[in-house]
C-alpha cells in the first residue's frame, strides 16, 4: 500500500472538528514579524477567502497552514495533527492531503504539462503509466484543457492555461484541502471568472475544503462562504488584532470598519498621503 | 583651555566609537560566516542522509548527461591546450640546463597531479556550477521548490542528490580526460613542434610518474566535485528574490567553488605528499 492509499484508509476524521486550525501563531522573517497572534479555524467543507492588501501576510498565512513556513510561536493543526511537531517524513505524508495552487502556477519548467500533473501521482502512488496517463487527461479535461496539451512545456502556455494546469496538478491526488494563492491575479476578466467557476465546480464535485488568498473582491464574493481580512502589522497598534474582519461575503458590505469598506470598495482614501508621510519619515531617519 | 580639552575628549570619543563600530561590524561578518558554514554543513548532512534512498530516475540520468557528457568536449579541449602551453613554457628553461628530454616528466607530472584535476574542476564549476545555482535559484524565485515541498517531495532528495552524485561520480572521469588530453597535447607539441626525441620523452615520463601520482589527482577531484555541487546547490536554494538574486547566486557559486577548489587542492596536496613520504620514504622524485 502506498503512502497515499495508506492515508486515505487511516484518516477517519471527526466531521465537526476544524480541518485546519491556527492557534496564536506568530511568523517572522529576519526579526521582521509578518503575522502576530493569529487564531483561525477552517471547518471541513468550507471555502474561506483571505483578503487584504499586498504585504499584509495573506500568502504567508496560507504557507503556514501547510507547514511551508514554520511559525515562531503557536501551533498549526491539520485534522488534529500539530504540523509544527511532525517529523519531515510525517509532514510529507500529511502534505499529500493538500493541493496548492501557486500564484504563478509554479509548474516545473523542465517537465511537460503531462509530467507536471503526473508528478504527485508518480511520487505517491504505484499506478502504472496507463493509469497515470488516464488520470492526467481526466484532470486536464476537468479544468477545460485538451489532451493535446499533455506534451507541451509550460513556457508554451498562456497565463490562464498555466493556472489551470496548476489547478489540475493540485487536484491530482484528490486532496482534502486545496489552497489557492491569488488564483485570478494577472488574468483577463473572462479567464478570472473561468478560474472562479473551476473553484466552485471543484468544491461541488469533491466537497473539498478550500482556502483562497485573493485581493479580487469578485473572486472573494463568488467562491467563498466566509471571508477574513488581514491587515498589515506595520499599520496596527501593538494590541490591535491582525484579522480585522471575519464574516460572510454578504456581511462585508455591512461592515462598519472604514479599513474594510475602503478595501472592499477599492478606494485609496488617505492611503497615498500616509505612504508619502512614511516615506518622508524613513528618508529623515536614514539621513 | 577647557574648550580644547572638551574637543579632544570629543574626538577621542568619536575615534573610540568608530573603532567599536568596526569591531562590531567585523564580529557581524564573522557571525555571518559561522552561520553560513553551519547551514552548509547541515545542507551537506541532509544531502548525505538521502543518498541511500531510492533516487528519482527522472532527474538522475539527465543530470549525469548534463554534467558529465556535455562537459567532456570543453574539458578535453582545455586539457589539450594546457598540455601544449606547459611544453612551450618549460622548454626554454629546460633547454638552458640541457634537460629537454625531461620535459615529458615535468609536463605529465604537473598535469596528473595538479593541472588536470584543478582544470577539470574549474571548468565544471564554470560550466555546471553556475548553471545549477541559476536553475535552482530560478526554481526558488518562481516557487517551484515550494511546489515540490507542497506535493510531498523533498527538494534536497529530488534536486540536490542527483546533482551531487553526478558531480561526485563523473568528476574523476573528467579529470582523467583532462589528464589524457593534456598528455597528448604536451607530447604532440614537444615531439613534433620542439623536436624532442619521443623515446626519451616517454621514457622519462614513465620513470618519474607513478600510480600514486595518478591516484592523488583523481582522489583530489572527488573533493572538488563534492564542493562544486554543494556550494552551487546551496547558493541556488538560498537565492535572493528577483533576477539580480539569481545572477548573484550564479556568480558567487562559481567564485566560492573556485576558491574552495584551490583551498582543498592545497590541503589535500600537503596531506597526500605526507602520505607518500610515509609509505615510500625512499621514493623517487623528479630530480
Amino acid at each position: 500500500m502506498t503512502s497515499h492509499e495508506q492515508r486515505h484508509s487511516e484518516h477517519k476524521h471527526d466531521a465537526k472538528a476544524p480541518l485546519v486550525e491556527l492557534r496564536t501563531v506568530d511568523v517572522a522573517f529576519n526579526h521582521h514579524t509578518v503575522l502576530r497572534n493569529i487564531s483561525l479555524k477552517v471547518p471541513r467543507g468550507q471555502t474561506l477567502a483571505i483578503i487584504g492588501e499586498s504585504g499584509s501576510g495573506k500568502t504567508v498565512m496560507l504557507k503556514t497552514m501547510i507547514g511551508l513556513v514554520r511559525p515562531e510561536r503557536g501551533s498549526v493543526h491539520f485534522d488534529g495533527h500539530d504540523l509544527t511537531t511532525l517529523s519531515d517524513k510525517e509532514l510529507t505524508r500529511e502534505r499529500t492531503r493538500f493541493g496548492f495552487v501557486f500564484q504563478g502556477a509554479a509548474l516545473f519548467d523542465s517537465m511537460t504539462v503531462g509530467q507536471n500533473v503526473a508528478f504527485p501521482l508518480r511520487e505517491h502512488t504505484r499506478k502504472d503509466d496507463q493509469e497515470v496517463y488516464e488520470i492526467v487527461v481526466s484532470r486536464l479535461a476537468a479544468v477545460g484543457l485538451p489532451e493535446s496539451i499533455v506534451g507541451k512545456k509550460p513556457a508554451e502556455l498562456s497565463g490562464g492555461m498555466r493556472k489551470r494546469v496548476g489547478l489540475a496538478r493540485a487536484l491530482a491526488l484528490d486532496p482534502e484541502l486545496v489552497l489557492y494563492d491569488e488564483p485570478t491575479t494577472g488574468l483577463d476578466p473572462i479567464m478570472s471568472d473561468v478560474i472562479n467557476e473551476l473553484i466552485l465546480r471543484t468544491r461541488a464535485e469533491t466537497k473539498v475544503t478550500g482556502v483562497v488568498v485573493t485581493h479580487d473582491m469578485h473572486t472573494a464574493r463568488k467562491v467563498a462562504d466566509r471571508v477574513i481580512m488581514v491587515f498589515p502589522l506595520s499599520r496596527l497598534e501593538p494590541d490591535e488584532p491582525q484579522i480585522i474582519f471575519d464574516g460572510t461575503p454578504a456581511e462585508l458590505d455591512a461592515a462598519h470598519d472604514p479599513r474594510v469598506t475602503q478595501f472592499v470598495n477599492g478606494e485609496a482614501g488617505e492611503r497615498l498621503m500616509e505612504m508619502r508621510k512614511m516615506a518622508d519619515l524613513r528618508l529623515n531617519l536614514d539621513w | 583651555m577647557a574648550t580644547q580639552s572638551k574637543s579632544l575628549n570629543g574626538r577621542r570619543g568619536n575615534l573610540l566609537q568608530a573603532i567599536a563600530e568596526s569591531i562590531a561590524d567585523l564580529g557581524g561578518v564573522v557571525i555571518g560566516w559561522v552561520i553560513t558554514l553551519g547551514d552548509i554543513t547541515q545542507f551537506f548532512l541532509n544531502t548525505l542522509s538521502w543518498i541511500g534512498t531510492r533516487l528519482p530516475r527522472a532527474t538522475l540520468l539527465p543530470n549525469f548527461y548534463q554534467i558529465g557528457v556535455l562537459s567532456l568536449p570543453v574539458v578535453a579541449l582545455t586539457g589539450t591546450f594546457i598540455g601544449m602551453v606547459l611544453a612551450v613554457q618549460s622548454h626554454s628553461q629546460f633547454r638552458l640546463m640541457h634537460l629537454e628530454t625531461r620535459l615529458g616528466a615535468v609536463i605529465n607530472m604537473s598535469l596528473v597531479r595538479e593541472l588536470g584535476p584543478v582544470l577539470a574542476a574549474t571548468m565544471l564549476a564554470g560550466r555546471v556550477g553556475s548553471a545549477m545555482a541559476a536553475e535552482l535559484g530560478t526554481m526558488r524565485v518562481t516557487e517551484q521548490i515550494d511546489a515540490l515541498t507542497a506535493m510531498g517531495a523533498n527538494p534536497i532528495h529530488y534536486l540536490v542528490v542527483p546533482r551531487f552524485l553526478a558531480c561526485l561520480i563523473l568528476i574523476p572521469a573528467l579529470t582523467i580526460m583532462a589528464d589524457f588530453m593534456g598528455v597528448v597535447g604536451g607530447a604532440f607539441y614537444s615531439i613534433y613542434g620542439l623536436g624532442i626525441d619521443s623515446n626519451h620523452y616517454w621514457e622519462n615520463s614513465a620513470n618519474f610518474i607513478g600510480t600514486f601520482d595518478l591516484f592523488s589527482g583523481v582522489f583530489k577531484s572527488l573533493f572538488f566535485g563534492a564542493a562544486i555541487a554543494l556550494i552551487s546547490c546551496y547558493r541556488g536554494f538560498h537565492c535572493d528574490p528577483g533576477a539580480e538574486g539569481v545572477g548573484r547566486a550564479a556568480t558567487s557559486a562559481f567564485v566560492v567553488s573556485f576558491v574552495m577548489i584551490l583551498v582543498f587542492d592545497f590541503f589535500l596536496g600537503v596531506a597526500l605528499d605526507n602520505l607518500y613520504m610515509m609509505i615510500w620514504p625512499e621514493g623517487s622524485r623528479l630530480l
Side-chain angles (χ1 to χ4, degrees), chain B residues 66-112:
Chain B
Q66 181 70 30
I67 290 167
V69 178
L70 296 185
S71 299
L72 268 178
V74 72
V75 167
L77 194 70
T78 45
T80 311
F81 277 96
I82 208 75
M84 293 199 286
V85 168
L86 271 177
V88 174
Q89 297 297 339
S90 321
H91 179 249
S92 54
Q93 305 299 317
F94 275 64
R95 197 176 52 184
L96 290 175
M97 296 181 279
H98 303 290
L99 289 170
E100 292 100 319
T101 50
R102 299 278 177 101
L103 215 53
V106 173
I107 293 170
N108 296 333
M109 177 72 94
S110 313
L111 275 166
V112 298

Side-chain angles (χ1 to χ4, degrees), chain A residues 3-4 7-8 91-99 120 123-124 170 173-176, chain B residues 149-153:
Chain A
S3 61
H4 176 63
R7 56 98 168 161
H8 266 300
L91 197 55
T92 297
R93 223 172 86 183
E94 288 302 314
R95 281 190 184 125
T96 62
R97 303 171 67 192
F98 311 131
E123 277 293 303
H124 301 292
L173 285 178
D174 297 321
E176 292 163 59
Chain B
T149 313
M151 284 188 284

Side-chain angles (χ1 to χ4, degrees), chain A residues 63 92 95 107 109 119 124, chain B residues 143-144 146 149 151-152 158:
Chain A
K63 288 186 175 177
T92 297
R95 281 190 184 125
L107 300 178
D109 303 324
F119 185 87
H124 301 292
Chain B
E143 294 186 306
Q144 291 177 52
D146 279 346
T149 313
M151 284 188 284
Y158 201 80

Side-chain angles (χ1 to χ4, degrees), chain A residues 199-274:
Chain A
I199 296 172
L200 281 175
R201 199 196 291 179
T202 306
R203 185 189 168 183
E205 285 170 2
T206 60
K207 308 287 175 215
V208 69
T209 309
V211 181
V212 185
V213 159
T214 184
H215 40 223
D216 177 349
M217 288 315 299
H218 178 66
T219 298
R221 284 181 211 278
K222 185 160 184 175
V223 304
D225 35 31
R226 179 181 165 204
V227 179
I228 62 166
M229 181 167 167
V230 189
F231 206 65
L233 269 186
S234 56
R235 293 168 57 208
L236 283 173
E237 296 298 323
D239 55 344
E240 278 185 294
Q242 200 174 357
I243 296 176
I244 59 170
F245 176 85
D246 189 346
T248 62
E251 285 167 351
L252 267 176
D253 297 321
H256 296 299
D257 190 330
R259 297 171 299 183
V260 178
T261 51
Q262 220 176 327
F263 184 85
V264 169
N265 299 324
E267 292 161 352
E270 299 298 309
R271 223 21 220 122
L272 182 60
M273 293 306 290
E274 272 178 39

Side-chain angles (χ1 to χ4, degrees), chain B residues 207-208 213 276-287:
Chain B
N207 284 343
F208 286 105
D213 300 311
Y276 183 88
M277 295 309 285
M278 247 168 58
I279 302 172
W280 295 285
E282 306 296 315
S284 68
R285 295 323 249 166
L286 188 59
L287 293 171

Side-chain angles (χ1 to χ4, degrees), chain A residues 118-191:
Chain A
F119 185 87
L121 296 163
R122 296 216 185 276
E123 277 293 303
H124 301 292
T125 68
R126 286 185 191 154
K127 296 185 191 305
D128 62 36
D129 288 353
Q130 186 57 35
E131 278 179 292
V132 169
Y133 185 78
E134 280 165 14
I135 296 173
V136 167
V137 172
S138 75
R139 292 289 184 273
L140 288 173
V143 296
L145 291 169
E147 190 178 348
S148 58
I149 208 176
V150 166
K152 289 195 171 172
K153 285 283 178 83
E156 297 172 63
L157 307 180
S158 68
M161 287 166 109
R162 276 203 293 271
K163 283 261 165 86
R164 284 187 281 160
V165 174
L167 179 57
R169 186 177 68 178
L171 298 175
L173 285 178
D174 297 321
E176 292 163 59
L177 170 70
V178 183
L179 303 133
Y180 305 86
D181 187 10
E182 307 203 6
T184 57
T185 301
L187 300 180
D188 64 72
I190 305 290
M191 194 46 68

Side-chain angles (χ1 to χ4, degrees), chain A residues 264-284:
Chain A
V264 169
N265 299 324
E267 292 161 352
E270 299 298 309
R271 223 21 220 122
L272 182 60
M273 293 306 290
E274 272 178 39
M275 286 193 281
R276 278 190 170 167
K277 269 186 199 167
M278 286 294 287
D280 284 344
L281 195 68
R282 274 186 201 141
L283 198 66
N284 289 336

